[in-house]
Structures are given as C-alpha cells and as structure tokens.
Amino acid sequence: MAKLTFTGGIHPYDGKDLSKDKPIQEVLPGSELVYPLSQHIGAPAKPVVAKGDRVLAGQKIAEGGAFVSAPIHASVSGTVKAIEPRRVVTGDMVMSIVVENDGMYEDVGFYPQAPLEKMTREEILEVIREAGIVGMGGAGFPTHVKLSPRKPEKIDYVIANCAECEPYLTSDYRRMLEEPEKLIGGLRICLSLFDHAQGILAVEDNKPDCISLLRQLVGEDPRISVKALKTKYPQGGERQLIYATTGRKINSTMLPADVGCIVNNVDTIVAVYRAVMEGRPLIERIVTVTGDAVANPRNFRVRIGTSYKELLEEAGGFKKEPEKIVCGGPMMGFSMFDLQVPTTKTSTALLGLSRDDVSAMEPGPCINCGRCVEVCPGRVLPSKLADYAERSDEEAFLANYGMECCECGCCSFVCPARRPLTQEIKSMRKIQLAKKKK
C-alpha cells in the first residue's frame, strides 16, 4: 500500500533524537511574566486590567479585540506591573501586560463545563473563544473562528495535524505519548460541532509508537481514524496534509473549509479538551528546547509569558557557543538576537545551533538544475519567482503563481548555488499581502 504523502518535499536531518525521549517537565517562571497583546492573527487583545491590579492564574487580563481575535489570561498570580511596549521574538515592540509573579500560583478555580452532550454548538464555541485558544502550531489563527465555517454542514473532515515534520521539534510527539486521551477527547469535541465529519489523526510514520497507541485508544470509533503519513518535510503543511489524507487540493485563495476540511495542531486540540472538559483557559503549552549547542535538550510545560532565557537555563544553558539561535524549527523558524523575550501561545521551540550554515554560504548564479522545482510542494518555479522578486517585477511574480508559495524553505535547502530563494519570494509575498489588505 502506497504511503500517504504529496508531490515534492525533502528529507533534512531531523535532530529529533536530541529530545524525543525526554518526558515533559514543568517549568515554573521567574519574577516577571510578559503577555503581548498580539499573540494571534487578527486584532490585538484589549487590556481589562490596570497597573496595580492583583490577578490570579486563569484570570482574563485582555479581551479579544474583534471576532478574529482572542482573549489573554494570566498564567500566574501576581500584580500588574505595567502595560507598555515590550520586545517580542521578531524584534518588534508590542504593547504588553507585565505581571510580577508572587510565587503563590493562586488560580481562579477551574471547573468542567456542562456535560458535552448537553451543550449546544454555540455554547462549545463560546467556551473555546473565552479560553483564548489559537492555532498553536505557529500560525495563531483563533480557533473559535476556524471552527465556525460559513457552512458547517459541508465539513467532511476534522484533521488533527500530528505530523510534526519540522526538524528538531518533539513537543507534539511527547504530548501524543503522554496525554493521548486529551488529544482524542479534544478531537471528539471538535467533531461534535459537525454532524457529518470524520476525524483523522494524521501522524508521520517515524512515530510508530504514537500510531500504535492512538489506534489502540481510538478502537472501533466509527468517526475517527489514524492515518500514517510518509515522513517527509513539509508533510505537516496544511495544503500537503489535506492532500495526503483526503486527496483534496486547496490553493492560496482558498481555506481548508472550502474543500470540507478543518485542520488543527495537536496542542490546539488538547487546549480545546482542557477548556471544555476542565474549564481551563489557554495559559500554558509545551515548548521544545533543543539543538547541538544546548546542554540538556528538553520538552517543557511552560506558562505563557515565561522568558526564553529562563527556559534555556532550565535546559542547562549552552554547552558551546551557538552561532545561531532560532525561535521554532530550522526550516520555518526565525533567528533570535535576544532571549529576554516572552513565550507566547504560538511558541513551539528554542533551537541553539553550534554552526550557522546559512550565513556561511556564498550565493552564486542559478545553474538551471531544476532541483528547486522538483522539491517544491506548491508546484511553482522558485528560481524564476526569486528572480522576479529581486527585480521587483510584481506583475511577472503574480502571473507565475508566486502567491502559491507556502514559504516552506525546500527550494533554498536544495539549491546548489545557495541562493536565498525562499527569502526573496517571502519578501515579495509580504508586499502583495499588504497591498491586498489595503
């Protein structure tokens, strides 16, 4: 039987052995936590506390600023120290709520909602919205919006993205092994919103223990199946995942719901379970701290707002001076120049690398080898698109389907001329998306 996959893709060194066998370890934060008001796609949240207020863990400190937005909750008890701009991982200054941790970790009290079978669709969605849940795989799209398509009766599949194809990351892997019941329970809650949908747990086949465990727990459930995917990057990309599991195709002008699919990350689905079944808002997540420069790579349960510097210290610091520090994975993450910045709902990993292979490369002229075309999952011409982007030829860029690039980095990875193809294309895409917003 052919393995479920897509056309294109690459097989980079995955680096997962560094942390995949390290159980999730809870980390208590230091004296100060920072909560940026923009931790999601959409309008920034609006503070509902003031300087000097005492807050409890789980208390709402910022309300969603619009339908496409999400509230933010304190992850510790303490006092609001300031509401001011603070630096985030991208280097930007973002308005943030700063809380001084009192070390007592008093919470508001978490209580299960009404039994699921007695809740209406609207009530479940409101619980998810109030819990501040967003896409935790990196995108940060508010989950209550994603679960509210215009035509819910047209949704055929709810897909749990368990692929975790990005190299080095093992947080989803540990979550699946250690809390599989919450993942399956969260998927069942999502399925309760759609009368005719089937649930799919889509796992890359380099995680046979997860596949076996999930199949055992799903049992004979007629609405949920576990599908093993071929291990290949970017198997966890939304378009690639939908095609591999359902055979349906989407492009840059479409949403997954347009082909009857809803896709959510492992941690997001677990957060849905905890909100509905335990009454807990999103105040923590799993973060992998890893890389060959890190002394003791680990998977941490982190209270949102904790600084990356504290996570690195919990992992023993650097055993050698890193040439590159990355927020996220090496393929789609971005370089960091300061670790004294807060983790957010979309923080997946901190990666310390002893060698910066990218900076060491000297780009040369294109040799027309076609490798970038061969690996491109979007089936576009990366070398040509990068040329158009360099020349600011917007018309040619759009005419050659530049917006179909998913910015996965496969083309840059295989280019023998070491051209920064993805970076050039990404810059032009940003310009076009900004123009479209206007």
Side-chain angles (χ1 to χ4, degrees):
M1 179 178 171
K3 291 180 182 177
L4 303 175
T5 191
F6 60 97
T7 303
I10 56 175
H11 296 86
Y13 165 67
D14 72 5
K16 294 183 186 287
D17 285 345
L18 293 171
S19 59
K20 75 180 185 68
D21 295 324
K22 305 290 182 67
I24 297 168
Q25 175 185 330
E26 184 164 4
V27 173
L28 292 179
S31 60
E32 183 180 275
L33 290 96
V34 179
Y35 305 93
L37 296 176
S38 292
Q39 299 190 31
H40 49 262
I41 290 174
K46 298 177 179 179
V48 293
V49 293
K51 183 178 177 180
D53 288 353
R54 184 163 192 274
V55 297
L56 302 177
Q59 179 180 330
K60 186 193 296 183
I61 57 176
E63 179 59 274
F67 177 63
V68 182
S69 186
I72 296 168
H73 302 76
S75 55
V76 297
S77 57
T79 304
V80 177
K81 186 176 174 182
I83 300 177
E84 63 187 19
R86 287 293 185 99
R87 197 171 300 284
V88 295
V89 290
T90 57
D92 298 326
M93 298 295 286
V94 173
M95 191 60 72
S96 306
I97 298 172
V98 184
V99 173
E100 187 172 2
N101 181 12
D102 63 14
M104 298 172 69
Y105 301 102
E106 294 180 88
D107 59 50
V108 295
F110 304 121
Y111 307 100
Q113 304 296 325
L116 183 62
E117 59 273 13
K118 293 186 178 180
M119 296 177 72
T120 65
R121 184 173 191 275
E122 291 69 28
E123 287 171 337
I124 294 171
L125 288 170
E126 180 60 15
V127 168
I128 293 170
R129 189 195 75 80
E130 275 294 306
I133 301 171
V134 303
M136 296 166 70
F141 194 82
T143 302
H144 71 278
V145 180
K146 186 178 279 193
L147 294 173
S148 306
R150 284 193 299 255
K151 297 178 179 179
E153 71 280 1
K154 298 288 187 182
I155 299 301
D156 300 318
Y157 299 101
V158 178
I159 305 170
N161 184 352
C162 311
E164 198 166 47
C165 64
E166 180 81 38
Y168 289 94
L169 274 59
T170 56
S171 55
D172 285 350
Y173 171 74
R174 293 309 312 179
R175 181 76 94 172
M176 285 187 279
L177 276 187
E178 296 183 41
E179 300 180 330
E181 296 89 353
K182 292 179 181 178
L183 171 60
I184 294 169
L187 182 55
R188 286 182 175 135
I189 292 170
C190 294
L191 286 172
S192 73
L193 303 172
F194 307 103
D195 293 338
H196 312 296
Q198 294 291 311
I200 298 174
L201 292 156
V203 193
E204 279 193 327
D205 60 6
N206 63 348
K207 306 173 185 68
D209 45 358
C210 288
I211 293 171
S212 175
L213 179 59
L214 292 173
R215 281 179 173 162
Q216 178 185 337
L217 293 174
V218 166
E220 299 300 316
D221 190 322
R223 293 192 71 184
I224 299 180
S225 61
V226 180
K227 294 196 175 183
L229 311 177
K230 183 176 180 179
T231 299
K232 181 168 63 170
Y233 177 84
Q235 189 69 264
E238 201 166 57
R239 297 186 210 175
Q240 290 72 45
L241 193 71
I242 290 171
Y243 179 76
T245 54
T246 71
R248 300 181 181 187
K249 298 180 181 180
I250 61 171
N251 58 39
S252 64
T253 66
M254 302 166 69
L255 294 172
D258 294 331
V259 292
C261 297
I262 301 284
V263 181
N264 276 310
N265 162 266
V266 167
D267 239 2
T268 307
I269 293 175
V270 170
V272 167
Y273 175 89
R274 301 192 79 189
V276 176
M277 306 307 291
E278 300 174 2
R280 290 179 176 272
L282 177 52
I283 60 174
E284 64 179 34
R285 63 158 301 134
I286 312 301
V287 178
T288 302
V289 180
T290 187
D292 67 331
V294 175
N296 186 17
R298 308 289 298 183
N299 297 288
F300 293 122
R301 190 186 308 274
V302 178
R303 291 181 185 242
I304 290 165
T306 304
S307 82
Y308 280 94
K309 186 173 185 292
E310 291 169 18
L311 297 188
L312 178 62
E313 289 169 356
E314 286 287 337
F318 291 123
K319 63 183 180 183
K320 60 178 82 169
E321 190 64 28
E323 285 190 4
K324 190 155 206 167
I325 303 172
V326 179
C327 173
M331 297 303 297
M332 295 192 73
F334 41 87
S335 298
M336 298 176 68
F337 64 88
D338 185 1
L339 288 175
Q340 197 61 57
V341 292
T343 53
T344 64
K345 298 176 183 182
T346 58
S347 299
T348 56
L350 175 64
L351 178 59
L353 299 174
S354 60
R355 282 178 48 82
D356 183 357
D357 293 329
V358 175
S359 295
M361 294 174 182
E362 281 294 328
C366 175
I367 61 172
N368 295 313
C369 65
R371 292 184 192 177
C372 60
V373 179
E374 184 180 343
V375 301
C376 177
R379 316 316 296 154
V380 294
L381 303 173
S383 58
K384 293 293 184 187
L385 291 176
D387 286 341
Y388 300 141
E390 280 186 88
R391 298 200 303 265
S392 299
D393 189 342
E394 298 182 27
E395 187 177 334
F397 183 86
L398 293 173
N400 285 272
Y401 307 103
M403 300 309 289
E404 295 309 311
C405 170
C406 63
E407 302 178 7
C408 64
C410 289
C411 54
S412 297
F413 182 82
V414 300
C415 179
R418 308 304 187 195
R419 297 180 68 204
L421 302 172
T422 305
Q423 292 81 350
E424 295 287 356
I425 297 169
K426 187 174 183 178
S427 297
M428 178 61 83
R429 276 173 46 83
K430 278 187 177 178
I431 293 169
Q432 298 309 311
L433 290 170
K435 285 186 176 182
K436 194 175 290 186
K437 276 187 179 180
K438 287 182 181 179

